[in-house]
Amino acid sequence: MSRIVYVNGAYVPEEEATVSIFDRGFLFADAVYEVCAILDGKICEFEGHVERLIRSLGELDMGMPVSKEELLEIHRELIKRNNVEQGAIYLQITRGTADRDFVYKKDMKQTLVMFTQAKGLTEEKAGIRVVSAPDIRWGRRDIKTVQLLASSMCKTMAKAAGKDDAWLVQDGFVTEGSSSNAYIVTKDGKIVTRNLSTSILHGITRKAILRLAAELDMEIEERPFTIAEAQDAAEAFFTAATAFVYPVIEIDGVELNGGKPGPVAKRLNEVYIEESRKSYI
Ligand code: PDD
């Protein structure tokens, strides 16, 4: 059965959804996106994702093509029409369509597309094996743009090497995962994750997890860490809307926690799911 997707005001079967070849999202990656988790048919962290969306758009001289309320309504309608219980809902806003020109105009008619992806989020997590790769992305990773080729290449390289994902390294320190925020748990129990800057995406799941960890009296250090420090850690994990808290069991061939998911990642994932069930809409 084909999905129903959303394109500029219309709900259509995915085969019928089209966007112009002159869309600047297609020609220049002149577009931003967001991905919210769907749990029990409800949307997790909607407010946080919209807040980041508005910020990303603002950094690129764009506004919202629809109101926050309309956006929520489209999310809900799409989840309902596709009957999704668990998974992700993707939205992309491009600057719109114009003849190819490096100079963009302000206040163009933007393109808004959305679709759902059904995927289990609450099952037992086996843990992933990561390899490090140079972070060759652009310098404004805090803006959630669709220019994901570097991330896509790194993840494909990791898969070709028989692993699951890449952790990206710049100037000797891990920035983040190819599509997630990266964490280690030191042997004395501290959670370490890179501090916010233009070098990483300001993860919505990251924000929630750091808040929950603090509530659980876990110690947190927001600072860069190296691959060597990560390999020597008690455990490691990553967060993303599409995975919640996911254990990392191997880094560049070195197993962590005996190659098994660690207790901190497991606990934080459970608490995150519990908390999401209280706040999703
Ligand atoms: N990616 N860092 C990067 C580079 C990401 O692409 C993502 C999310 C994150 C985690 O952010 P959040 O917790 O807000 O999902 C960090 C999404 C899920 C994706 O591209 O599919």
Side-chain angles (χ1 to χ4, degrees):
M1 197 181 72
S2 125
R3 275 174 297 190
I4 298 295
V5 302
Y6 177 92
V7 192
N8 294 326
Y11 294 92
V12 293
E14 62 183 74
E15 304 77 23
E16 291 169 27
T18 55
V19 175
S20 164
I21 66 159
F22 293 106
D23 192 284
R24 287 186 58 92
F26 179 65
L27 294 179
F28 291 100
D30 189 354
V32 300
Y33 76 108
E34 277 297 333
V35 184
C36 288
I38 304 169
L39 185 61
D40 309 331
K42 300 250 195 324
I43 310 151
C44 300
E45 311 268 5
F46 182 75
E47 283 293 328
H49 285 281
V50 173
E51 202 179 296
R52 185 173 62 190
L53 174 68
I54 292 170
R55 179 180 179 278
S56 293
L57 287 166
E59 291 296 306
L60 301 177
D61 282 338
M62 283 191 262
M64 286 264 277
V66 293
S67 70
K68 194 161 103 178
E69 293 70 31
E70 284 168 309
L71 201 58
L72 176 58
E73 193 42 48
I74 302 166
H75 275 75
R76 286 182 162 152
E77 186 62 28
L78 215 47
I79 292 168
K80 196 168 91 189
R81 288 192 189 216
N82 291 287
N83 205 15
V84 184
E85 272 298 299
Q86 279 189 28
I89 182 156
Y90 176 96
L91 84 82
Q92 179 169 328
I93 297 171
T94 83
R95 195 179 304 276
T97 299
D99 199 3
R100 186 170 185 274
D101 186 345
F102 280 77
V103 179
Y104 58 76
K105 295 199 173 57
K106 286 205 176 180
D107 303 323
M108 288 174 53
K109 189 178 177 318
Q110 291 159 291
T111 301
L112 168 60
V113 301
M114 285 183 55
F115 57 83
T116 54
Q117 288 182 305
K119 174 189 169 204
L121 286 175
T122 52
E123 71 269 12
E124 192 78 22
K125 291 169 171 160
I128 62 156
R129 297 174 193 275
V130 303
V131 285
S132 59
D135 195 339
I136 56 169
R137 299 172 301 161
W138 80 324
R140 288 302 307 274
R141 300 159 195 156
D142 56 311
I143 309 173
K144 199 163 170 65
T145 75
V146 301
Q147 44 166 322
L148 298 173
L149 186 55
S151 303
S152 174
M153 287 169 74
C154 288
K155 191 156 186 169
T156 305
M157 176 277 293
K159 289 278 183 195
K163 307 299 177 186
D164 303 296
D165 202 357
W167 273 14
L168 309 176
V169 176
Q170 185 173 36
D171 300 330
F173 293 95
V174 174
T175 49
E176 54 187 337
S178 67
S179 58
S180 61
N181 290 117
Y183 308 73
I184 57 171
V185 182
T186 61
K187 290 195 169 121
D188 57 354
K190 289 184 192 126
I191 296 173
V192 182
T193 192
R194 193 169 176 119
N195 49 296
L196 296 181
S197 69
T198 52
S199 299
I200 64 167
L201 185 74
H202 301 188
I204 302 304
T205 321
R206 177 189 183 281
K207 189 175 176 185
I209 287 302
L210 293 187
R211 177 176 53 79
L212 294 173
E215 283 170 18
L216 292 169
D217 286 330
M218 294 176 177
E219 216 178 313
I220 298 155
E221 277 182 15
E222 291 183 67
R223 62 161 174 86
F225 59 86
T226 63
I227 288 291
E229 188 182 3
Q231 287 174 321
D232 191 44
E235 60 177 290
F237 60 90
F238 73 86
T239 63
T242 44
F244 297 162
V245 182
Y246 210 102
V248 170
I249 55 169
E250 185 191 291
I251 302 172
D252 280 346
V254 175
E255 284 193 337
L256 278 80
N257 194 46
K260 299 218 164 54
V264 174
K266 193 164 185 290
R267 177 90 185 102
L268 287 174
N269 190 56
E270 285 164 2
V271 174
Y272 184 73
I273 292 171
E274 239 171 72
E275 287 300 311
S276 296
R277 288 200 154 116
K278 289 183 201 154
S279 61
Y280 55 25
I281 56 172

